[in-house]
Amino acid sequence: MEFGKLSSIANVDWSLPPDDGASVAYLQKLPRPTQPTRFLLGTPAWGHKEWIGKIYPEKTKPTEYLSYYSQNYDTIELNTSHYRIPNHEQVLKWREQVTPQFQFCPKVFQGLSHSEQGMLDKSLLKEWLRFVESLQEHRGPCFIQFPPHFDYSHKAALFYFLQQWPKEFELALEFRHPSWFKDRQILPALTQYLQTRGLGLVITDVAGRRDVLHTSISAPFTMLRIIGNNLDPSDYTRSLEWARRLSQWSRAGLQRVYYFVHEPDDINSPEMTQALIQYLNEECDASLLPLKWCATL
C-alpha cells in the first residue's frame, strides 16, 4: 500500500501540531531577508495527459508537457532521479524547456538512500552531485527519502553521509520510520544538528501516518508535501490551515517554501493547486498568479 494511505479517512485527526519553539527561534536568528518569503508550488510529475484541457492546451504533445508545466508551476518533485541518475543530455533537454525561475528538486537516487552501503559510497555520491550541478540555475534543494525500514539504529550511516554532503548543495531529509519521531528527544536533537549545517527536514502531511507530521525547521527553507484524497473537503481545510501556519513562519523569517501538492495519480492536483494559491495569497500575501487554465473550471 502507498505510504500513509488509508481505505477510509473518516476518523483522521487533521489538526497540525503546535509550532516547534526552537525552530521559530532559529528562524528569528537568521539574517533578515530583503525579499518576502518565496512560495514555490509543484507536483510529483509533469507527464499527465489528464491535464490536457486543464493546464495543457488541446493537442499538446508529451514532449511539450514540461514546458507548459513550468508556465504554471515553479518547481517539481523530481522522482525520476530516485530510480536512475539522469545523464547530461537529459538534463540539457529539461533546462531548455523550463522558465528562467523554475527549480528542479531532485529526489536522491535510491542507490544512495536505500542502503547503508550506498550511503557510504563516495564515488556514487560524486556521480549524483555531478548530475545535480548540471541543473545549474534550475537547481533547487535535493531531498532524500529514507525507506520505511531506515530506523534510528542507522544513525551512524546517516551522519557519515551528511558529513560528505557539500555545503553548496541544499538538502532536505524525509524520515518514515517511527523511531525518528516517537522518542521526543531524537527529532529535536537532529533538528539542532541540521540547523548548524543549514540542512532541511521534509514535512509530510498524510492521512495514515500522523506521527511523521512535524513542525521542525532546520534551514532557511522548508519542504512541505501534502498528500490529498481526491479533493476531499479535508484537503481544502488542511491546506488553509497550512497557509495560516506558513504565514506565521514567513513573519518569523522563513525565506522559501517548496510546497508539493499530491492527489491520487496527480489527476486533480491542478484543482487543488488553484485553491492553494488563493489561500496563500490571502493568508501570506504570496502574490502568486493563478494557474493558466485552458478551460473554465
Side-chain angles (χ1 to χ4, degrees):
M1 179 178 287
E2 185 179 348
F3 177 76
K5 184 177 177 58
L6 295 177
S7 57
S8 172
I9 59 172
N11 298 316
V12 175
D13 178 3
W14 295 110
S15 58
L16 302 183
D19 270 346
D20 173 10
S23 293
V24 174
Y26 162 77
L27 288 175
Q28 292 173 339
K29 292 178 182 178
L30 292 174
R32 300 309 299 172
T34 58
Q35 301 292 329
T37 303
R38 184 181 178 191
F39 294 88
L40 299 94
L41 308 187
T43 72
W46 63 73
H48 297 295
K49 65 181 186 299
E50 295 87 357
W51 293 357
I52 293 178
K54 293 184 180 183
I55 61 174
Y56 298 164
E58 295 294 339
K59 299 183 179 180
T60 298
K61 300 176 182 177
T63 54
E64 301 172 320
Y65 287 171
L66 176 56
S67 176
Y68 285 108
Y69 176 92
S70 73
Q71 294 175 38
N72 286 279
Y73 290 97
D74 284 328
T75 189
I76 181 81
E77 183 181 297
L78 190 63
N79 284 290
T80 298
S81 59
H82 183 64
Y83 301 102
R84 63 176 179 83
I85 300 178
N87 59 39
H88 181 75
E89 291 73 19
Q90 182 64 74
V91 173
L92 182 60
K93 290 179 181 179
W94 289 340
R95 292 198 335 242
E96 291 173 343
Q97 294 179 67
V98 297
T99 57
Q101 75 279 2
F102 189 85
Q103 294 186 13
F104 294 91
C105 290
K107 185 185 290 186
V108 172
F109 177 50
Q110 62 183 352
L112 287 164
S113 63
H114 278 49
S115 73
E116 284 202 12
Q117 182 179 358
M119 296 182 71
L120 302 177
D121 190 335
K122 290 184 178 181
S123 62
L124 184 57
L125 178 59
K126 287 181 179 179
E127 181 183 354
W128 167 262
L129 293 174
R130 281 195 296 270
F131 148 64
V132 176
E133 189 171 30
S134 72
L135 293 169
Q136 297 185 6
E137 71 274 15
H138 299 293
R139 184 178 77 225
C142 304
F143 74 104
I144 183 167
Q145 188 179 78
F146 295 104
H149 64 263
F150 188 81
D151 62 20
Y152 183 67
S153 69
H154 298 282
K155 60 184 181 296
L158 170 66
F159 283 102
Y160 179 87
F161 176 82
L162 295 179
Q163 287 166 5
Q164 308 310 308
W165 188 270
K167 62 181 180 181
E168 62 267 28
F169 293 90
E170 292 185 318
L171 175 69
L173 290 67
E174 181 183 17
F175 297 97
R176 294 187 163 189
H177 192 275
S179 63
W180 297 96
F181 304 97
K182 67 181 181 181
D183 187 320
R184 294 185 178 182
Q185 301 302 315
I186 292 176
L187 185 60
L190 176 62
T191 302
Q192 186 176 26
Y193 167 76
L194 295 176
Q195 287 173 350
T196 67
R197 299 281 312 279
L199 301 174
L201 281 164
V202 176
I203 301 173
T204 301
D205 187 332
V206 62
R209 287 293 307 274
R210 306 309 286 168
D211 59 323
V212 306
L213 181 60
H214 65 85
T215 57
S216 297
I217 301 173
S218 54
F221 68 90
T222 193
M223 191 174 287
L224 177 61
R225 303 174 72 244
I226 301 290
I227 317 300
N229 297 281
N230 276 324
L231 305 182
D232 182 84
S234 62
D235 292 356
Y236 294 92
T237 55
R238 61 189 169 128
S239 293
L240 178 57
E241 287 305 306
W242 269 114
R244 291 169 174 164
R245 184 63 60 90
L246 291 170
S247 176
Q248 297 174 22
W249 294 351
S250 175
R251 292 194 298 271
L254 187 63
Q255 297 174 8
R256 282 168 288 138
V257 176
Y258 295 85
Y259 196 131
F260 294 110
V261 179
H262 292 244
E263 290 289 340
D265 299 318
D266 300 322
I267 293 173
N268 293 322
S269 292
E271 286 86 348
M272 192 67 248
T273 304
Q274 200 77 306
L276 174 60
I277 288 171
Q278 177 183 341
Y279 299 151
L280 292 173
N281 285 343
E282 292 174 351
E283 301 295 331
C284 305
D285 294 324
S287 300
L288 297 170
L289 295 176
L291 301 185
K292 299 175 182 178
W293 283 88
C294 301
T296 303
L297 280 175

